[in-house]
Amino acid sequence: MGRLTAEQLKVIDLSLIEWYYEQAMARHNDLVRVESLITERGYTLFAIYFGILTAAIGYILTHLSANDDAALTSGCLSIVVFTSISIGYIYHVIKPHTLLAPGKEPDKFTIPQYIAYFKGKDIDQKKQVVSDELVVLQQKITAQEAMNKKRVEYTKRSLAFLIFGSFVAVTSFLIAFAIY
């Protein structure tokens, strides 16, 4: 969405532009709420992964010299590797990220540019300012949505590595069990 032209400003009503802005704010607030849910789930997965990693490493360290537990040790080693990769992905989900607040600080209102733009023109100023804010809000919505999608993708990869690691752990356990 770009800036409204003078003709568009004459046709469209201010209340309609404000309604569009309210709808865009609702969309942005929804995306921020989704971001918060993604972060909460990321912390939960992070805690679960560390629990799994701690248990696997604890088992390996306590049974390192035992020859009869080679199958379990090899299974735990694969769990350690794949859980570590999962933790790497989930870290990208929970690491601090930029907050895209919907509004502007007063020093970014670009008042001098508006004064120069409105000088000598018969344009409803409030319509143009609200529509410009709508453009800025659209940019923030787009950025927030892209960030949310990226974080969801990291979560999916993390879970995929954990599931794949579980299958590798079972396979390595069975192979080591058959050998010993």
Side-chain angles (χ1 to χ4, degrees), residues 3 9 111-129 132:
R3 184 173 221 194
L9 285 173
I111 293 171
Q113 290 86 344
Y114 276 125
I115 292 171
Y117 176 75
F118 291 134
K119 201 172 196 178
K121 292 185 180 179
D122 184 28
I123 295 175
D124 188 349
Q125 297 176 6
K126 189 172 181 184
K127 283 183 185 178
Q128 187 64 60
V129 171
D132 287 349

Side-chain angles (χ1 to χ4, degrees), residues 98-173:
T98 50
L99 175 68
L100 300 169
K104 280 186 181 179
E105 295 84 19
D107 61 347
K108 295 186 178 165
F109 280 147
T110 62
I111 293 171
Q113 290 86 344
Y114 276 125
I115 292 171
Y117 176 75
F118 291 134
K119 201 172 196 178
K121 292 185 180 179
D122 184 28
I123 295 175
D124 188 349
Q125 297 176 6
K126 189 172 181 184
K127 283 183 185 178
Q128 187 64 60
V129 171
V130 172
S131 67
D132 287 349
E133 287 301 311
L134 189 58
V135 171
V136 171
L137 186 57
Q138 176 60 50
Q139 292 167 350
K140 290 181 180 183
I141 286 172
T142 303
Q144 185 72 53
E145 196 167 21
M147 185 171 42
N148 286 358
K149 286 180 182 178
K150 187 168 126 182
R151 294 174 73 216
V152 166
E153 188 59 36
Y154 283 140
T155 303
K156 287 179 183 177
R157 287 181 190 171
S158 173
L159 290 171
F161 269 102
L162 191 65
I163 291 168
F164 183 71
S166 299
F167 287 127
V168 170
V170 169
T171 305
S172 62
F173 169 78

Side-chain angles (χ1 to χ4, degrees), residues 50-64 76-77 79-81 84:
F50 262 106
I52 293 170
L53 189 64
T54 304
I57 289 175
Y59 184 84
I60 291 170
L61 292 177
T62 57
H63 294 85
L64 203 55
C76 286
L77 280 174
I79 287 176
V80 166
V81 170
S84 299

Side-chain angles (χ1 to χ4, degrees), residues 31-99:
L31 288 172
V32 170
R33 192 171 61 249
V34 166
E35 176 189 31
S36 179
L37 291 172
I38 292 169
T39 303
E40 287 175 22
R41 290 179 182 153
Y43 279 119
T44 302
L45 285 174
F46 196 70
I48 290 170
Y49 292 169
F50 262 106
I52 293 170
L53 189 64
T54 304
I57 289 175
Y59 184 84
I60 291 170
L61 292 177
T62 57
H63 294 85
L64 203 55
S65 63
N67 290 332
D68 58 340
D69 284 339
L72 283 176
T73 304
S74 65
C76 286
L77 280 174
S78 63
I79 287 176
V80 166
V81 170
F82 285 98
T83 304
S84 299
I85 294 170
S86 296
I87 286 174
Y89 277 114
I90 210 69
Y91 169 75
H92 289 291
V93 173
I94 64 172
K95 73 178 181 179
H97 44 277
T98 50
L99 175 68

